[in-house]
């Protein structure tokens, strides 16, 4: 049988097959729709006209709306002489802004953080009065081959570490309601200093204690300023996080400060005005 005849026979059998008959019962075959609308295009701009998309210096409004960027949030910041040092988050950790070591995002995984606004000078006096000979003992333990100045600095550094270790353990062990009035636990923004009430007390500084989940002290962090209530927006938080990502890979602290500030200044100028400029660090 010729090949064409064989093909015709197969087509005829297919036409009368049960599957084809069922398909025909469903109606006429569907037609594929073709998009005949014109392609998107950019409008024509005048010689001295700048497109709006080129003027955008911050996060686009649609992105802010998508991320809840305009939503107000209340956080804690470290504040000294009206200048913000770090922004702290409820889940733990902080973003340090311009600083001698450069901006950084610090996490506190698998540990607890306790914060206190306190008079550090009073705490130092109590520790010094309780261990009057400690500095001399630490000096005797320094490397005798070093200069007098080097030995004094080493002893002072060891004394300061001993003081902060002692203070951290005292703060953790003492029930919050038994602390003296010059130590104020900061558990949330409402227990931090409220800048709207006036000038902050100059004798208060933020001191953080880091512990394991079981309460064992693992570290501490003294701040330049005190913990203050910080009314801001998700836009500020989003831009700060983006700025930290932007400077990833830059090692030099000075260059990190410059890149960080250059990123946030056009996007959140109101916040940039509240931190130290790179040349002020």
């Amino acid at each position: 049988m010729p090949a064409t005849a064989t093909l015709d026979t197969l087509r005829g059998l297919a036409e009368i097959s049960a599957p084809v008959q069922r398909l025909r019962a469903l109606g006429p075959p569907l037609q594929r729709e073709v998009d005949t609308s014109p392609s998107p295009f950019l409008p024509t701009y005048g010689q001295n006209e700048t497109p709006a998309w080129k003027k955008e210096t911050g996060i686009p409004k649609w992105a802010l709306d998508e991320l809840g960027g305009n939503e107000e949030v209340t956080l804690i910041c470290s504040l000294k002489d009206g200048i913000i040092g770090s922004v702290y988050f409820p889940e733990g950790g902080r973003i340090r802004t311009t600083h001698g070591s450069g901006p950084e995002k610090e996490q506190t995984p698998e540990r607890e953080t306790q914060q206190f606004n306190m008079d550090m000078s009073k705490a130092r006096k109590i520790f010094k009065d309780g261990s009057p000979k400690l500095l001399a003992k630490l000096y005797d333990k320094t490397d005798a081959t070093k200069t007098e100045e080097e030995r004094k600095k080493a002893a002072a550094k060891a004394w300061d570490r001993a003081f902060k270790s002692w203070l951290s353990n005292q703060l953790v062990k003492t029930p919050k309601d038994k602390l003296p009035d010059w130590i104020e636990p900061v558990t949330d923004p409402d227990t931090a200093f409220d800048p709207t009430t006036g000038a902050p007390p100059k004798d208060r500084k933020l001191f953080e204690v880091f512990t394991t989940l079981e309460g064992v002290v693992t570290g501490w962090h003294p701040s330049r300023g005190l913990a203050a209530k910080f009314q801001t927006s998700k836009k500020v938080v989003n831009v700060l996080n983006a700025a930290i990502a932007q400077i990833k890979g830059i090692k030099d602290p000075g260059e990190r400060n410059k890149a960080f500030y250059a990123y946030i200044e056009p996007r959140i100028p109101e916040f940039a005005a509240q931190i130290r400029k790179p040349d002020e660090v």
Side-chain angles (χ1 to χ4, degrees):
M1 180 181 294
T4 54
T6 303
L7 183 59
D8 289 340
T9 302
L10 291 175
R11 284 175 177 168
L13 292 173
E15 288 293 322
I16 63 174
S17 67
V20 172
Q21 295 300 316
R22 285 197 295 269
L23 285 173
R24 283 178 174 170
L26 295 176
L30 295 174
Q31 297 296 319
R32 181 174 181 272
E33 294 185 2
V34 179
D35 184 3
T36 59
S37 62
S39 299
F41 65 93
L42 293 175
T44 302
Y45 294 98
Q47 183 176 359
N48 298 319
E49 186 179 3
T50 302
W53 57 270
K54 283 190 176 182
K55 297 177 182 178
E56 182 62 61
T57 57
I59 299 175
K61 184 179 183 304
W62 64 264
L64 290 177
D65 292 341
E66 186 73 18
L67 297 173
N70 292 317
E71 180 182 342
E72 292 186 356
V73 293
T74 305
L75 302 173
I76 293 174
C77 71
S78 59
L79 192 68
K80 179 177 173 59
D81 299 327
I83 300 297
I84 293 174
S86 297
V87 176
Y88 298 83
F89 302 100
E91 63 274 15
R94 64 171 178 152
I95 288 182
R96 185 180 66 205
T97 66
T98 47
H99 186 271
S101 298
E104 194 65 73
K105 184 171 184 178
E106 299 178 349
Q107 306 284 10
T108 54
E110 298 182 357
R111 68 179 182 183
E112 297 288 338
T113 301
Q114 297 186 39
Q115 298 178 314
F116 305 86
N117 275 337
M118 58 182 297
D119 187 335
M120 293 293 288
S121 61
K122 286 188 177 180
R124 282 192 176 89
K125 185 177 186 308
I126 292 173
F127 181 70
K128 183 178 180 180
D129 290 347
S131 307
K133 297 180 180 180
L134 178 60
L135 185 60
K137 291 180 180 178
L138 292 172
Y139 176 84
D140 291 339
K141 292 182 178 180
T142 59
D143 187 347
T145 64
K146 300 292 185 180
T147 66
E148 180 76 5
E149 188 64 24
E150 289 173 333
R151 296 186 70 183
K152 284 182 178 180
K153 286 183 178 180
K157 187 175 181 179
W159 187 95
D160 186 66
R161 181 175 178 80
F163 159 67
K164 289 171 183 173
S165 176
W166 167 83
L167 176 60
S168 297
N169 281 282
Q170 292 299 312
L171 291 171
V172 169
K173 293 176 182 177
T174 305
K176 300 295 186 287
D177 59 350
K178 300 296 183 182
L179 291 171
D181 58 7
W182 48 271
I183 300 178
E184 302 161 357
V186 178
T187 56
D188 55 43
D190 288 333
T191 55
F193 170 75
D194 187 348
T196 64
T197 61
K202 293 184 178 181
D203 60 352
R204 293 292 191 270
K205 293 285 188 288
L206 168 62
F207 188 77
E208 295 182 283
V209 182
F210 308 124
T211 71
T212 63
L213 299 179
E214 294 74 29
V216 178
V217 173
T218 59
W220 50 80
H221 171 251
S223 176
R224 294 174 62 251
L226 84 169
K229 189 175 184 178
F230 180 42
Q231 299 283 156
T232 188
S233 68
K234 281 193 175 180
K235 174 183 178 181
V236 170
V237 176
N238 292 338
V239 173
L240 290 177
N241 277 294
I244 292 296
Q246 185 77 8
I247 65 174
K248 184 179 180 181
I250 302 177
K251 303 299 182 184
D252 180 74
E255 294 304 314
R256 287 177 68 82
N257 282 327
K258 290 177 183 178
F260 178 87
Y261 194 85
Y263 187 88
I264 71 168
E265 200 272 337
R267 294 170 170 83
I268 45 173
E270 71 288 348
F271 180 85
Q274 298 179 76
I275 69 173
R276 292 182 293 172
K277 295 181 180 179
D279 60 0
E280 296 173 339
V281 174

